[in-house]
Structure formats: C-alpha cells, structure tokens
Amino acid sequence: MLKSMMAAVINQWGSAETFEIVQRPIPELEADDVLIKVAFAGVNPADWKMRAGYLESALPNGAFPLVLGLDASGIVVATGENVVEFSEGDRVVSGTNQFTAGKPGSYAQYLVVNKQRVALIPSEMTLESAATIPIAGITAWQALFAADKGALKKGETRKILINGASGGVGSFAVQLAKWAGVDVATTCSGANLEYVRSLGADFLIDYKTQNISDEIAKWAPKSVDLIVDAISADSLTDPIALLKQGGKLVSIATLTDDGDIEASIAEAKERGATKILAYVDDSRFGKELQKLIDIVDAGGMWLPPTEPFELNDVARAHEKLEGGHVRGKLVLRVSAELH
Ligand SMILES: NC(=O)c1ccc[n+]([C@@H]2O[C@H](COP(=O)([O-])OP(=O)(O)OC[C@H]3O[C@@H](n4cnc5c(N)ncnc54)[C@H](OP(=O)(O)O)[C@@H]3O)[C@@H](O)[C@H]2O)c1
C-alpha cells in the first residue's frame, strides 16, 4: 500500500511564494473511500483565497501543513471495502473539501475521497479537460438550476444575464443556459468577445467600454428574469433595476468582496426581486458531476480551454489566477504520464 506522496503545501497564510513541494503521508482509506492517482488538479479562485488566509476562520487550528486543491482528475488505484461503483484503472474526476477534517486537497500525487464525490469520465474526454469540471461546473449548474438559486427549467422561455462569462464559472454557465434553451446576455472584456460568442451567448457586452445597464435596456427592457453574477457585489451598478418584478439575482459568493449582504438582500426584496448569495452546495457532488459529464458526452456543451502548469509551478498558476483575467481554467499537471 502506498504511504506517501509529493504535494504542494503551505505552512502559513501568504503570497503564492508560500508553496513548498514536500513529501506528505497519504491518508488511510476508509470503507467508502476511493484512492485516486491525480493526473490534473483544477485551480479555483477559492484556492488562492484560502492560501491568502481569507478562509482562516473556517479552517481548524493546526491546519498546516495544508495541501490545497478542490478539483482533481485521475486514475483509481485502490478502493475501500464498501466501494463497488469504481475499480482500479477507472478514469475519474472528483473533488474534495475535507480540509476541516485535516485531509489533503488535490495539489498532490494522490487524493483520498468518498465514493459519492467521484464520477467516471468517458474515454474521449481527456483528464486535463475533466479537471475543469468540479467546482466551476457545479457552481454554474446550481446557480442556474438549483431550486434555492436560479431555479430555471430546461425549455422555459427566459432571458438571463451572466456577469463574468469568460472565466471558469462563466464558461460553464453560458453553455448550460443555452443547453437549457434560455436567451443569454453576457459581460466580458473585448479580448474575450469571440470566446464568449463561441460559448453560445446571444448578446455580448464589453464591460470595459460599454455601459451594462444601457446595453441590457436595449436587449431586454425591464425583462431580465435572472442575473448570475460571477464577479462581485459592486461590478454591476444597479442589478435589481435590470430585473423584471419577481426576478432573481444569484450572486456567487466571492468570500472577499460580497458587500453588505443582509442590506442588499433586504433592498432587493423591497424592490420586488430576490437576491441570493450563492455558495456551492456539495451534498450531491458526484451526481452533479455525472450530470455535467453526460451533457458534455451528449454534445450539449464542451469543456473550457485549459492552461496547464506543472505542480512545482503552482505559485505561477496562483499569481495568474489571482490577477482575475483567466479565460477558461488553469490546471496543475501532477502526473505527466496520465492524459
Ligand atoms: N462561493 C462559492 O461557493 C464559489 C464557488 C465557485 C466560484 N466562486 C467565486 O466565483 C467567482 C468566479 O469564479 P471563476 O472560477 O469563474 O473565476 P475566474 O475564472 O478567475 O474568472 C476570471 C474571469 O473573470 C472575468 N472578469 C474579471 N472582471 C470582470 C468584470 N468586471 N466583468 C466581467 N468579467 C470580468 C475575466 O475576464 P476579462 O479578462 O475579460 O476581464 C476572466 O475571464 C470567484 O470570485 C470565485 O471565488 C465562489
């Protein structure tokens, strides 16, 4: 049985230079666990926010040395005694959030996860592409369709605005909204207009050179049903004014700049709209991963472009992501021999 692995760890909150590549123990497999040899680890904004200490209060004392990383793709190398759904050699995608239990994340050669957080990937899907799916894909899926968030239904006639269409969450959200058949307006910078058009957006607004409210007024005067905001509380001047009565603003929690949450929720209610501060709910993680994979497999969506960094170049990946202008997704290449 494998006992140790190389991992990118932090021993304190700090800048991207805080990472060290060291040997760490592989956690014991419990009965419902799967041991995955990590091919690629997805990199999410939550990772740098965690690294910088924004989630300090949510992590236990003595969290260090901490192995970050929420998303992973790879190959199953062992399974716990209750696992019949997966076997050695399976190509899978997964994700973890077990930091509070002291378990390592995906910036490591191996990942131990509960079987309910794992999904098989089809043979045509590369492990590099699969690593883009977990957090960004599930966040987008829930923002649009979860009953307590966007609550869209496939086939309904709706108009929605996706603020921040070119990043990880936006790349999934635009395509999933089109898969569901709704009309989609988007914001992005001029450099990403063609990319966002290729995702299927019906209406594009360059947030750097155009006034978003004026443009939305032309596209759908007072008739936007839903806004998914993947940027921040203050990036849209008055989002409630863009919504029809009864409309919803699903504001994806940034964990760094969410403004006065209670006041903005109360204000939306007073003005006949609903604001929801959305956190990813990982209670159906494996099932929602499988749903997204099935949509890709059926040709309903393609996976975002990736920019790979080596695991020992994790600091550069974090610096780039922290800059806030990645198109698609960054991934860490952990096991060069796996594709
Ligand atoms: N709370 C949760 O459970 C949860 C889960 C997932 C994600 N999130 C949060 O959701 C946010 C989005 O995540 P992500 O993975 O999509 O981030 P990301 O990939 O880093 O997003 C980068 C994209 O944002 C675009 N952008 C930057 N400023 C913009 C603006 N003012 N208007 C429109 N587009 C802008 C950039 O395009 P340009 O280069 O064209 O500017 C870039 O393509 C992050 O804050 C993340 O932490 C929260």
Side-chain angles (χ1 to χ4, degrees):
M1 181 63 194
L2 295 157
K3 293 277 182 225
S4 71
M5 60 184 177
M6 296 309 287
V9 306
I10 56 168
N11 282 296
Q12 60 187 41
W13 312 120
S15 74
E17 300 306 328
T18 310
F19 283 107
E20 292 170 49
I21 308 291
V22 298
Q23 197 92 8
R24 293 293 301 153
I26 299 174
E28 293 284 318
L29 266 196
E30 292 176 20
D32 289 325
D33 284 344
V34 177
L35 177 64
I36 298 168
K37 179 169 179 172
V38 177
F40 290 87
V43 187
N44 289 287
D47 302 354
W48 75 254
K49 293 170 187 179
M50 225 179 271
R51 187 211 74 224
Y54 284 101
L55 280 82
E56 184 175 2
S57 59
L59 290 162
N61 283 338
F64 303 122
L66 181 60
V67 180
L68 295 174
L70 298 162
D71 299 347
S73 63
I75 307 286
V76 173
V77 288
T79 51
E81 63 197 43
N82 290 348
V83 179
V84 292
E85 299 84 348
F86 303 101
S87 37
E88 213 179 307
D90 282 347
R91 299 167 78 249
V92 292
V93 62
S94 182
T96 183
N97 69 345
Q98 296 299 294
F99 307 108
T100 50
K103 297 211 176 142
S106 59
Y107 291 5
Q109 286 176 311
Y110 293 91
L111 181 69
V112 173
V113 278
N114 186 284
K115 63 181 182 178
Q116 293 188 347
R117 303 185 63 89
V118 184
L120 292 168
I121 63 169
S123 55
E124 322 76 62
M125 188 180 284
T126 65
L127 289 164
E128 182 169 338
S129 285
T132 65
I133 304 174
I135 289 295
I138 291 176
T139 300
W141 172 265
Q142 293 177 356
L144 294 166
F145 305 117
D148 61 347
K149 297 185 175 95
L152 286 178
K153 299 211 166 34
K154 198 169 186 319
E156 279 181 322
T157 304
R158 291 281 186 267
K159 281 185 182 281
I160 76 166
L161 166 65
I162 295 172
N163 186 39
S166 51
V169 174
S171 297
F172 282 98
V174 176
Q175 295 193 78
L176 287 169
K178 290 313 299 174
W179 167 82
V182 303
D183 289 340
V184 185
T186 54
T187 66
C188 63
S189 70
N192 284 319
L193 286 170
E194 282 315 310
Y195 172 63
V196 174
R197 199 188 308 280
S198 76
L199 297 171
D202 298 295
F203 189 75
L204 295 106
I205 305 168
D206 178 343
Y207 74 90
K208 289 195 173 162
T209 60
Q210 293 180 296
N211 179 297
I212 298 171
S213 303
D214 291 351
E215 295 305 310
I216 288 293
K218 291 179 206 159
W219 181 67
K222 295 190 193 322
S223 66
V224 173
D225 299 275
L226 170 68
I227 298 172
V228 173
D229 185 359
I231 300 300
S232 68
D234 57 6
S235 65
L236 295 170
T237 308
D238 184 7
I240 303 303
L242 307 178
L243 288 170
K244 63 161 66 159
Q245 279 293 305
K248 287 182 182 174
L249 167 61
V250 174
S251 190
I252 296 170
T254 65
L255 313 167
T256 52
D257 51 5
D258 293 314
D260 187 338
I261 297 163
E262 279 181 20
S264 61
I265 289 174
E267 191 211 327
K269 194 171 171 194
E270 235 166 65
R271 294 171 66 190
T274 306
K275 171 171 172 168
I276 298 131
L277 187 73
Y279 294 88
V280 72
D281 165 5
D282 63 1
S283 57
R284 301 185 69 250
F285 203 87
K287 288 196 170 68
E288 289 181 336
L289 269 180
Q290 195 59 61
K291 179 76 198 173
L292 293 167
I293 290 165
D294 291 348
I295 293 171
V296 175
D297 208 23
M301 153 172 96
W302 41 270
L303 294 173
T306 49
E307 182 178 349
F309 289 75
E310 302 303 317
L311 179 64
N312 57 17
D313 220 8
V314 58
R316 301 289 84 74
H318 268 227
E319 280 165 359
K320 175 147 195 187
L321 191 66
E322 204 168 336
H325 296 289
V326 167
R327 175 190 298 168
K329 290 283 299 177
L330 302 186
V331 295
L332 299 176
R333 186 187 284 113
V334 181
S335 302
E337 73 280 16
L338 300 181
H339 310 281

